């Protein structure tokens, strides 16, 4: 059966060039070659308009956790669209899917997180975080406690608040960001920035930068610290073992909210329901999105811990904030069905007991490749560091080895993302051990091709 699109790839690319401004894209570079057009998907595979089958090592954008082609999710959406395609949660109305979904999420959330504020995406969730954290302190007579500390190279989305809380220099360079009262500390990226320290020493050092920053700003002016359990878009940066315990010690000294951005780690990525459970964290606020609906519809939320929820519900007055699509009933019905699938198929448990340990073992074997300086993973998220010198961790000149490798991945039938010269994967949580073998074999094939090109 031919998988080719009815309209030719050339025609689609020409129309795209004419009318589409895709996100995070260098338009000149794209238009010089034309975009890859994805036409269909099933399980862990996608197909492009030329009929190529590609193993989706990124689960879309870290989100298609239950895999593509799930009829149950299609049916849940269709049913909800017929019954109540839209209603809002503003001004004291509500609908059944929102109530049921909030209750279901609370049943798997970390202890003490029992309330849910719905949004339409991860970025919106972080806009909500910023406003809710400041509102929380203002309600208690401390409106000056409004600084939020994030991390360099952290990613919290692409709206003004999201990009400001995040620490991506390239994003800050456009649109005059970050906005006021946001500051950043170094990231716990030992491989790239650890210098002569051991990973454990560096983890402590990086966490102590939070203490320094809080003292510099003044604890009475800091509302919250925000971080991803494992940095995703920054390059799957898995902090050294000493990092989170030291951060917890620092936070215990001051009265500051902990915001754990679970947009990637949430809903099973680490083999626990949430990254906070993996690292034993007690967040006050937890933005989620992506895996919440397995990407079938856009939806996000902020899970709110008891401390913040109590202030909002007992002394907050009206919270002047929300989105037209907060808790959208069709998205909520899909999220509910997605949660049902995760539970009934024991997908999170299977990641922890079976596929994560298997990926860890197979992925680590790639470290024997001449290009690979480090191969790391937690749960079903993993990274490879491409280096010229494994001993000194020196990179190749030009900084485009990752992009070259990414091209070879596509050619061999694998989506693996490049963040500089770090290659990353985050496959659907339903990937099997045999499919992990296939993924790792394709990755090795791409590494070999990259190596050959570098030595040509
Ligand atoms: C993707 C992501 C976001 C932004 O989510 P969008 O749905 O793209 O707005 C925020 N935080 C983290 C950690 C993410 O990975």
């Amino acid at each position: 059966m031919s998988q080719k699109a009815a309209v030719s790839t050339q025609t689609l690319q020409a129309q795209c060039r004419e009318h589409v401004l895709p996100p995070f894209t260098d338009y000149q570079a794209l238009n010089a070659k034309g975009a890859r057009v994805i036409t269909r998907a099933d399980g862990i595979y996608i197909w492009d308009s030329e009929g190529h089958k590609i193993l989706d090592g990124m689960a879309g954008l870290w989100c298609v956790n239950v895999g593509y082609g799930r009829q149950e999710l299609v049916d849940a959406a269709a049913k909800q669209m017929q019954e109540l395609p839209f209603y809002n949660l503003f001004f004291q109305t509500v609908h059944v899917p929102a109530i049921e979904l909030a209750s279901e999420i609370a049943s798997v959330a970390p202890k003490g997180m029992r309330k849910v504020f719905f949004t339409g995406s991860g970025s919106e969730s972080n806009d909500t975080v910023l406003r809710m954290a400041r509102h929380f302190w203002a309600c208690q007579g401390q409106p000056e406690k409004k600084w939020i500390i994030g991390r360099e190279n952290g990613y919290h989305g692409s709206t003004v608040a999201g990009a400001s809380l995040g620490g991506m220099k390239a994003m800050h360079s456009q649109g005059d960001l970050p906005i006021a009262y946001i500051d950043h500390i170094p990231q716990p990226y030992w491989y790239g920035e650890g210098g002569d320290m051991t990973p454990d020493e560096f983890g402590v050092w990086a966490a102590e930068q939070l203490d320094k920053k809080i003292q510099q700003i003044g604890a009475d002016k800091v509302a919250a610290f925000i971080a991803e359990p494992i940095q995703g878009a920054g390059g799957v940066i898995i902090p050294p073992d000493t990092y989170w315990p030291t951060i917890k010690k620092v936070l215990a000294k001051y009265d500051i909210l902990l915001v754990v951005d679970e947009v990637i780690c949430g809903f099973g990525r680490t083999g626990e329901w949430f990254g906070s459970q993996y690292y034993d964290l007690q967040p006050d606020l937890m933005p989620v999105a992506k895996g919440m609906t397995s990407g079938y519809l856009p939806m996000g939320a902020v899970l709110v811990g008891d401390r913040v929820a109590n202030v909002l519900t007992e002394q907050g007055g009206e919270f002047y904030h929300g989105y037209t699509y907060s808790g959208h009933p069709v998205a909520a019905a899909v999220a509910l069905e997605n949660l049902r699938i995760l539970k009934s198929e024991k997908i999170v448990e299977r990641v922890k007991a079976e596929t994560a340990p298997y990926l860890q073992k197979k992925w680590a074997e790639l470290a024997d490749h001449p290009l690979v300086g480090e191969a790391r993973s937690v749960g079903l998220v993993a990274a490879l560091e491409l280096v010229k010198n494994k001993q000194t961790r020196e990179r190749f000149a030009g900084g485009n080895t990752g992009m070259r490798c990414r091209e070879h991945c596509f050619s061999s039938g694998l989506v693996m993302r490049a963040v500089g010269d770090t290659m990353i994967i985050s496959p659907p949580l339903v990937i099997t051990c045999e499919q992990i073998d296939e993924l790792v074999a394709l990755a090795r094939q791409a590494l070999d091709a990259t190596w050959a090109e570098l030595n040509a």
Side-chain angles (χ1 to χ4, degrees):
M1 184 177 73
S2 167
Q3 306 287 355
K4 287 206 180 194
V7 182
S8 80
T9 301
Q10 287 71 20
T11 305
L12 290 166
Q13 287 175 333
Q15 280 181 327
C16 175
R17 206 173 279 126
E18 203 62 19
H19 299 297
V20 185
L21 290 174
F24 283 98
T25 296
D26 176 332
Y27 301 118
Q28 275 154 308
L30 175 72
N31 291 342
K33 64 182 185 32
R36 185 181 307 273
V37 183
I38 305 303
T39 51
R40 60 180 284 264
D42 191 35
I44 65 163
Y45 300 97
I46 57 175
W47 280 263
D48 69 16
S49 54
E50 292 293 291
H52 298 123
K53 180 185 178 185
I54 307 167
L55 194 164
D56 185 5
M58 284 304 295
L61 270 178
W62 326 80
C63 52
V64 189
N65 288 354
V66 299
Y68 298 96
R70 286 281 188 159
Q71 190 60 39
E72 308 97 300
L73 298 181
V74 178
D75 293 343
K79 184 160 169 280
Q80 186 58 44
M81 275 197 168
Q82 282 163 345
E83 209 163 287
L84 180 72
F86 179 76
Y87 205 74
N88 63 79
L89 307 185
F90 282 36
F91 318 132
Q92 322 229 344
T93 64
V94 73
H95 50 67
V96 178
I99 299 171
E100 289 185 352
L101 177 58
S103 313
E104 271 300 305
I105 289 175
S107 78
V108 292
K111 224 167 98 240
M113 307 206 80
R114 297 178 301 139
K115 286 196 158 54
V116 180
F117 189 101
F118 289 112
T119 72
S121 68
S123 300
E124 285 184 8
S125 295
N126 282 314
D127 276 57
T128 298
V129 158
L130 181 134
R131 297 201 50 202
M132 197 181 273
R134 289 177 177 170
H135 180 53
F136 166 80
W137 291 112
C139 282
Q140 299 171 95
Q142 291 178 272
E144 73 289 349
K145 207 164 158 65
K146 62 185 167 189
W147 281 82
I148 302 181
I149 301 172
R151 303 184 302 179
E152 290 162 12
N153 200 37
Y155 189 75
H156 300 296
S158 192
T159 53
V160 168
S164 294
L165 294 169
M168 302 255 166
K169 286 205 173 61
M171 291 175 77
H172 290 172
S173 75
Q174 299 172 338
D176 205 11
L177 302 178
I179 54 171
Y181 305 110
I182 291 175
D183 208 341
H184 301 85
I185 58 169
Q187 58 180 334
Y189 181 24
W190 175 78
Y191 197 86
E193 298 172 4
D196 292 335
M197 284 186 250
T198 65
D200 279 351
E201 286 166 356
F202 181 69
V204 171
W205 178 87
E208 282 173 346
Q209 301 314 301
L210 177 61
D211 202 328
K212 273 201 186 148
K213 186 60 80 180
I214 293 169
Q215 291 194 29
Q216 185 193 323
I217 298 170
D220 55 341
K221 294 192 171 58
V222 179
F225 169 60
I226 182 168
E228 302 152 83
I230 293 166
Q231 284 156 264
V236 180
I237 291 159
I238 299 167
D241 292 341
T242 51
Y243 183 73
W244 278 114
T246 311
I247 289 281
K248 281 164 68 176
K249 273 188 214 153
V250 171
L251 289 172
K253 287 170 41 183
Y254 305 101
D255 195 15
I256 287 165
L257 298 179
L258 172 60
V259 184
V260 181
D261 186 336
E262 295 263 7
V263 171
I264 286 174
C265 290
F267 301 102
R269 181 58 53 193
T270 63
E272 302 288 345
W273 276 92
F274 294 94
S276 293
Q277 292 153 337
Y278 185 86
Y279 285 115
D280 189 26
L281 308 174
Q282 284 88 44
D284 295 293
L285 297 172
M286 237 169 61
V288 297
K290 294 193 173 118
M292 188 176 178
T293 58
S294 281
Y296 279 59
L297 281 176
M299 183 174 229
V302 178
L303 277 57
V304 182
D306 290 340
R307 181 179 181 195
V308 175
N310 290 344
V311 168
L312 290 179
T313 54
E314 285 160 24
Q315 56 191 104
E318 179 171 345
F319 186 31
Y320 301 113
H321 174 69
Y323 310 100
T324 299
Y325 299 129
S326 283
H328 192 287
V330 181
V334 168
L336 260 174
E337 183 60 17
N338 180 59
L339 280 176
R340 194 198 60 74
I341 292 173
L342 286 170
K343 282 185 171 175
S344 72
E345 297 182 11
K346 299 202 179 339
I347 290 173
V348 184
E349 291 87 338
R350 190 142 46 86
V351 168
K352 182 175 181 167
E354 191 185 330
T355 45
Y358 192 75
L359 176 70
Q360 181 142 55
K361 178 165 149 267
K362 289 287 153 179
W363 196 251
E365 289 170 6
L366 291 173
D368 70 6
H369 195 279
L371 261 180
V372 176
E374 183 180 77
R376 58 177 180 263
S377 75
V378 162
L380 288 186
V381 61
L384 298 174
E385 298 284 4
L386 308 187
V387 286
K388 188 172 166 191
N389 184 322
K390 293 191 188 213
Q391 267 64 52
T392 61
R393 319 204 291 267
E394 182 194 347
R395 304 281 182 181
F396 288 95
N400 65 349
T401 309
M403 279 311 272
R404 287 179 178 201
C405 182
R406 179 174 179 268
E407 282 306 313
H408 289 299
C409 286
F410 269 119
S411 306
S412 42
L414 172 68
V415 178
M416 181 153 68
R417 179 160 153 186
V419 178
D421 286 350
T422 308
M423 304 307 297
I424 61 177
I425 56 154
S426 171
L429 301 185
V430 293
I431 193 169
T432 63
C433 290
E434 297 77 66
Q435 289 169 330
I436 288 173
D437 286 339
E438 185 188 345
L439 187 162
V440 173
L442 291 171
R444 188 176 285 277
Q445 203 178 312
L447 289 168
D448 286 343
T450 310
W451 180 247
E453 188 185 328
L454 286 168
N455 290 301

